[in-house]
Amino acid sequence: LAWLLYAMQVAERKGRPVAWKALSDFQLHAMNALPAHDGEKLIQVEARDQRQQDTHEFLSLLLDCLGGKPLAGEPPASPRNSGPVDKETLERLEGLEKELTALVKASGAMLDAASATRAKQNLSNLFYEYSMVQWALSATRMHSHALSSLFEGQRLACTKCHKCGRFCASGAEPFFIEEIKLNLSRSEGGWFGQLGQLSQLGSWLSGGQASPPTNLPLKDLLREENPAPEGYRCPNSKCGQVGSSSCSAQYLRLPSILVLHINRAQADGTRCEIAVNFESTIDLAKLGLVKHFGKPLDRTLSPCPTRYSLRAAVFHRGPTARSGHYFAYVLAESSLPSSFSWKGAGAGAGAAWTRLDDERVEHPRSSSKATPMALEASEPENGAKVVLLFYQRDEQPADAAAATTAAKLKEQQQQQQANSK
């Protein structure tokens, strides 16, 4: 993989196709290392044997393979659970979930500020303990420190019944890819109407709008509540309603690289054609998606920013997820003329969007294809649509970065003045 990435960098710099040997070597090693799916290897060396595969599935298997054991030279991985959970721990988890449910219900009836403040602090403490227990019990954490420090985070899932109002924590699992499901099934129209997050889509599904929306904001999709799994029954003995609960999520540990999978696969095998209106930066805290204990935390529980900048995007062109073609955009430092550069948040002065399409590495010249955002907005209904987004966490807030840059410039100016004297 490292050799392939280096070959891609050389190809971009010299304006030529990626070296064939780098591609074939990667295909050979990937075919041998990655597990089979449906009896067949995801990657085949021979082009005639290669079948269209889902890029999200490939990325999941690749990260699982690379992160499944310590890399060369890494210290032993932190232990993760590999067996059944003991009865005492299970009882503690159930107790925490009951305490959280009771406290959330009670806090809604508190009128004085002091009681509300105490309840909020108690709730925060319970969530912290709950998340620590879940993290320790997880059997899916990465073994590789290098990979986990890049991609791994922790998500807190909660379930709410819209009939009786019952709220409960339902998990705090590690993750390295976040799925955003686009589903236009009319059978789920009632859900979008209840949740009220995507008014355009809900209006169309319920028959109030003549045609489906042409695009949906990524920010709304991230905040969207999803229906509980089919057949889920409200645990409240006085309710017991099936199909009345929704699931929401907030992030406890923020990954360095936030990978978003835009799942466009439909039940009938087709692809959802709605464009996703995504931006070059997102702030998870401003979207209300960060659950923290005083300050936002990274994987190691150290304070960190909540703002992310887009670094790469993968697009798919084709009628279904199992047919068509994938290509990618990557924001990388470039030696191209300044007219090609894109000075996005967190990007260097010479950063430019590069398109990677099989062995071709190029810089789009057309304004409608210059950036992944422009491409998504300009493509026709059956054209290329984004399926993976890679956002990198800013190491410091934008205002702090600007202040640091201004201070450095001022220091340089003062030094120049001193030298001239």
Side-chain angles (χ1 to χ4, degrees), residues 59-384:
L59 177 62
S60 298
L61 289 174
L62 180 63
L63 290 180
D64 189 57
C65 179
L66 294 174
K69 59 183 179 180
L71 301 180
E74 282 191 323
S78 58
R80 65 181 183 182
N81 186 54
S82 58
V85 182
D86 60 88
K87 182 179 179 181
E88 184 180 347
T89 304
L90 281 175
E91 290 176 350
R92 180 55 186 149
L93 270 178
E94 292 176 1
L96 284 170
E97 291 176 354
K98 289 180 180 178
E99 287 182 65
L100 285 167
T101 299
L103 190 54
V104 168
K105 183 177 181 180
S107 61
M110 293 179 182
L111 300 178
D112 62 290
S115 298
T117 300
R118 286 195 300 271
K120 184 178 180 181
Q121 184 59 54
N122 292 337
L123 194 60
S124 180
N125 293 338
L126 286 173
F127 271 126
Y128 181 81
E129 183 179 356
Y130 181 76
S131 66
M132 293 302 105
V133 174
Q134 289 275 16
W135 181 266
L137 290 177
S138 174
T140 61
R141 295 206 317 273
M142 289 183 170
H143 279 303
S144 167
H145 290 282
L147 269 293
S148 62
S149 65
L150 288 174
F151 296 102
E152 198 167 48
Q154 186 180 18
R155 180 200 308 108
L156 172 67
C158 296
T159 305
K160 180 179 180 180
C161 176
H162 291 269
K163 182 180 180 182
C164 69
R166 183 184 187 275
F167 174 91
C168 67
S170 52
E173 284 291 315
F175 76 97
F176 52 85
I177 300 177
E178 182 72 313
E179 182 183 48
I180 298 176
K181 177 72 174 175
L182 296 184
N183 196 326
L184 292 184
S185 171
R186 285 186 177 273
S187 64
E188 295 180 1
W191 258 112
F192 288 97
Q194 288 181 41
L195 300 176
Q197 293 289 341
L198 304 176
S199 57
Q200 295 182 64
L201 188 54
S203 178
W204 174 67
L205 290 169
S206 60
Q209 186 172 318
S211 59
T214 57
N215 67 81
L216 293 171
L218 176 64
K219 293 179 179 180
D220 288 348
L221 291 170
L222 284 169
R223 289 189 293 238
E224 165 91 331
E225 291 185 2
N226 295 306
E230 186 176 356
Y232 178 84
R233 182 183 299 275
C234 176
N236 184 355
S237 59
K238 296 181 180 179
C239 178
Q241 183 72 27
V242 175
S244 63
S245 299
S246 65
C247 299
S248 61
Q250 287 182 301
Y251 302 109
L252 293 166
R253 304 184 196 222
L254 305 186
S256 179
I257 306 294
L258 177 64
V259 183
L260 302 177
H261 170 218
I262 312 298
N263 187 349
R264 297 178 174 275
Q266 302 297 288
D268 60 0
T270 60
R271 185 189 75 164
C272 178
E273 299 295 336
I274 289 182
V276 175
N277 181 15
F278 57 95
E279 300 176 3
S280 60
T281 62
I282 57 173
D283 192 320
L284 297 182
K286 291 182 178 179
L287 295 177
L289 294 174
V290 179
K291 183 70 176 178
H292 59 77
F293 313 103
K295 290 183 179 180
L297 305 174
D298 64 10
R299 184 191 177 279
T300 64
L301 299 180
S302 299
C304 69
T306 60
R307 189 171 182 269
Y308 287 76
S309 297
L310 186 65
R311 291 297 185 181
V314 176
F315 286 83
H316 174 263
R317 179 181 282 112
T320 73
R322 293 293 181 182
S323 64
H325 179 67
Y326 290 103
F327 60 92
Y329 274 64
V330 176
L331 184 64
E333 297 299 321
S334 172
S335 57
L336 289 172
S338 58
S339 59
F340 283 90
S341 64
W342 183 79
K343 299 179 178 62
W353 282 108
T354 304
R355 176 167 168 156
L356 309 172
D357 194 343
D358 287 340
E359 76 280 2
R360 298 183 299 278
V361 181
E362 60 187 12
H363 295 271
R365 295 175 179 269
S366 169
S367 59
S368 63
K369 299 179 180 180
T371 70
M373 291 76 72
L375 181 67
E376 179 78 358
S378 63
E379 284 288 291
E381 181 176 332
N382 295 318

